[in-house]
Amino acid sequence: METKYIRNFSIVAHIDHGKSTLADQLLLRTGAITEREFKEQILDDLDIERDRGITVKARTVAIHYEHEGQTYELNLIDTPGHVDFHYEVSRSLAACEGALLLTDAFQGVQAQTVANTYAAVEADLAIIPVINKIDLPVTRIEEVTDEIETILGLDTDNVLHISAKQGTGIDDVFRAIIEEIPPPAGKKESPLRALVFDSKFDPYKGVITYVRIVEGTIAKGQKIKFLREGTTHEVIEIGQFSPDMKPVTQLGPGQVGYVLTGIKELGAVHVGDTVANPVQLPEAPLPGYQVPQQMVFCGMYPIDATDFEKLREELQKLSLNDSSFSFVAETSEALGFGFRCGFLGMLHMEIVQQRLEREQDIDLIQTAPNVTYEILTNHGEILPIDNPQMVPDAGQIQEFREPIARVTMIVPAENIGTIMQLCEDRRGTYKSTEYLGPNRAQIIYELPLAEIVYDMHDKLKSATRGYGTMDYDVIGFQPADLVKLDILVKGVKVDALSTIVHRDSAERRGRSLVKRLKTEINKHMFEVPLQAAIGARVIARETISALRKNVTAKCYGGDITRKRKLWAKQREGKKRMKQFGQVEIPQKAFLSVLEAGKDD
């Protein structure tokens, strides 16, 4: 197809503003799916996406629409809305020329609407503002139009009013896509350059590579070269998603589709790589993507040690499908062999863990998550710390640094005081307040990332009765008075329970943690002391008392010395057990570190 009849676009919006519903309507209206096949969120094909009602993975689909007697090919890339999946959005936008910016007719512009608009502007895309859910009983269409103009700085003369649920105004959306989004640039005669923007593993077909052809053409049977890896493969199958995989003979400039080369090695394909023709190599590869920076880390260990290799394989498949996730093997004295996994945020971590447990049926022990820190040593060396066990002795540390995030919150005006107090309690630095109308305000704070990732979003939602939204991006590292908090069970340091905390809250956190552990660890036949310590100094202690058997139950009266002998024998046995007995720590205890943080 000629490039002038191709349009590549994305739908971006805040979470739950109707992206997936609109995508369904576009597919239904063009006959890509039938009324019988139609179901809500057809592009959200993961079970976890359906259960939670959110989009986790960006999906692509090619649809054909007839306008003024000409058939156009529209390549839609559906994107997630949650802050943790912002990297998925930025990757998708790089494969597009335009974006539909969707805003709820009642909720208006929210934190992620702002963030995604900036991402689309940076990618130099044509942006079409769309107000969705006009069928709601209560709407604020005029105010929302003003917000789009004042907050986002977009021209609202041609703003579209639609209801994705009822199918109102969908034809106007198609017309705007064709008339306002430019066709892709790129010539068929140029050397092949295609951008790898996603990939996934299929047990039967191998690695499925998602590509956007920038220049040149790619055909079935030809040889292609992945420039980063330097490997050459033959194209076994090439096709488009409509929405299922549909083979074609050739893809040209501007088209989006998939390539099958029979690759079985999971590390052979990299997102952001350039696909080229080995016979006619281009002058330079495509710029690709900036490598995402994982900010939340946790340990994942199989409960059954024999599942270790299976877990490694599944993590490799997941990282192929989600390049913003990383993992490395590690060992723990308490938990054995496992992996240290890196995520963009807490929801991202939760999704990966649930996909492993539900889709692959692997029972996991997950340690409490922590963010990445930096340590400047006395030798002038900077150490990145994503695991508390890596923290050196206090005598070697010149400066302990923590990641700082710039947090943008959009909240009802009546809740400003509560939110400011919430941020102050979390060591926040106030930056600005801007009123977006009589009832809403945008507050900007700089906060330590560790104070945000655990439960800041939940607290914000509670304080604003669900109306507050937030978005954050990490701006750098700042020195802070941080310490490593160790937990000792029966005098032995349990590495998987160690955390990094601010010195001012260390004692409170330590007391809270040992109290919670006392309720999580079962009683044993001997006394179990639980201690929280900073270095060699114990700052909190709780004791789990021993289970006692009534050894004198069989004594009816008689001389007291007989009972004393039995009690002495019992004491001796408990003393031996205390020396050699092993304490069993249940999985819940490892997550109590997180719960103790929430209690604070």
Side-chain angles (χ1 to χ4, degrees), residues 57 88 91 196-202 206-210 263-271 312-327 355:
K57 277 297 298 173
E88 284 278 330
R91 281 216 331 252
V196 177
F197 69 89
D198 208 347
S199 57
K200 74 173 186 180
F201 186 80
D202 184 283
V207 177
I208 301 171
T209 310
Y210 294 43
I263 296 174
K264 291 286 193 281
E265 301 85 53
L266 296 168
V269 177
H270 301 277
V271 168
R312 184 201 295 275
E313 198 176 309
E314 296 307 331
L315 287 173
Q316 281 180 328
K317 288 178 188 173
L318 268 178
S319 66
L320 178 76
N321 189 222
D322 180 0
S323 57
S324 56
F325 156 72
S326 67
F327 68 97
R355 284 185 71 181

Side-chain angles (χ1 to χ4, degrees), residues 345-362:
M346 293 290 279
L347 178 68
H348 189 199
M349 180 188 81
E350 216 175 297
I351 296 286
V352 169
Q353 183 214 348
Q354 287 188 12
R355 284 185 71 181
L356 285 169
E357 290 189 332
R358 289 170 52 171
E359 294 173 20
Q360 312 306 335
D361 199 26
I362 299 173

Side-chain angles (χ1 to χ4, degrees), residues 139-178:
T139 58
R140 303 185 304 116
I141 292 171
E142 282 186 25
E143 293 100 307
V144 172
T145 307
D146 290 341
E147 286 175 10
I148 292 171
E149 194 166 355
T150 54
I151 303 170
L152 305 177
L154 299 178
D155 182 10
T156 53
D157 291 344
N158 300 320
V159 68
L160 303 178
H161 299 160
I162 69 161
S163 166
K165 192 175 181 181
Q166 295 185 346
T168 311
I170 299 300
D171 289 324
D172 292 336
V173 174
F174 278 119
R175 182 190 47 74
I177 290 168
I178 290 166

Side-chain angles (χ1 to χ4, degrees), residues 509-547:
R509 178 72 71 88
R511 287 185 193 286
S512 169
L513 188 46
V514 290
K515 274 184 184 168
R516 192 170 279 277
L517 281 173
K518 187 179 178 181
T519 63
E520 301 291 0
I521 297 175
N522 295 326
K523 282 189 173 186
H524 288 61
M525 294 301 290
F526 48 90
E527 192 179 79
V528 179
L530 305 172
Q531 296 166 304
I534 298 172
R537 187 169 69 91
V538 175
I539 57 169
R541 173 175 169 138
E542 290 284 335
T543 305
I544 301 172
S545 56
L547 280 169

Side-chain angles (χ1 to χ4, degrees), residues 117-136:
T117 305
Y118 288 161
V121 170
E122 279 174 30
D124 201 22
L125 303 188
I127 302 171
I128 302 169
V130 181
I131 295 177
N132 188 24
K133 304 191 184 181
I134 58 169
D135 58 308
L136 290 173

Side-chain angles (χ1 to χ4, degrees), residues 272-476:
D273 199 355
T274 302
V275 174
N277 187 335
V279 179
Q280 191 184 11
L281 290 172
E283 289 180 13
L286 294 163
Y289 299 111
Q290 190 179 350
V291 178
Q293 188 181 8
Q294 286 89 19
M295 292 313 300
V296 176
F297 286 82
C298 81
M300 286 190 177
Y301 296 83
I303 289 177
D304 184 350
T306 56
D307 281 345
F308 177 76
E309 282 305 323
K310 184 184 176 187
L311 178 60
R312 184 201 295 275
E313 198 176 309
E314 296 307 331
L315 287 173
Q316 281 180 328
K317 288 178 188 173
L318 268 178
S319 66
L320 178 76
N321 189 222
D322 180 0
S323 57
S324 56
F325 156 72
S326 67
F327 68 97
V328 290
E330 71 167 5
T331 56
S332 159
E333 288 177 22
L335 301 172
F337 293 100
F339 296 93
R340 190 87 190 153
C341 303
F343 310 91
L344 298 181
M346 293 290 279
L347 178 68
H348 189 199
M349 180 188 81
E350 216 175 297
I351 296 286
V352 169
Q353 183 214 348
Q354 287 188 12
R355 284 185 71 181
L356 285 169
E357 290 189 332
R358 289 170 52 171
E359 294 173 20
Q360 312 306 335
D361 199 26
I362 299 173
D363 291 326
L364 293 171
I365 288 181
Q366 181 192 323
T367 63
N370 62 274
V371 300
T372 310
Y373 296 91
E374 276 185 1
I375 285 178
L376 176 65
T377 65
N378 292 332
H379 305 299
E381 191 183 353
I382 294 177
L383 303 175
I385 303 291
D386 57 39
N387 190 338
Q389 281 93 277
M390 295 162 61
V391 177
D393 294 337
Q396 298 175 33
I397 300 172
Q398 185 179 326
E399 198 171 73
F400 214 141
R401 300 169 183 166
E402 64 181 346
I404 303 293
R406 182 183 174 85
V407 186
T408 304
M409 291 162 283
I410 295 179
V411 299
E414 64 197 51
N415 299 124
I416 291 176
T418 315
I419 298 305
M420 290 179 78
Q421 187 59 52
L422 178 70
C423 293
E424 294 293 334
D425 292 345
R426 289 166 183 251
R427 302 185 284 122
T429 307
Y430 172 75
K431 288 296 168 188
S432 67
T433 302
E434 186 183 335
Y435 282 88
L436 310 177
N439 303 317
R440 294 207 303 159
Q442 176 178 282
I443 305 172
I444 297 177
Y445 262 86
E446 283 182 7
L447 281 155
L449 186 63
E451 302 284 352
I452 300 170
V453 293
Y454 289 136
D455 62 341
M456 179 77 176
H457 193 258
D458 297 343
K459 289 275 198 290
L460 177 78
K461 287 288 182 190
S462 301
T464 59
R465 300 194 304 282
Y467 288 107
T469 58
M470 68 175 256
D471 178 64
Y472 64 85
D473 58 308
V474 179
I475 55 173

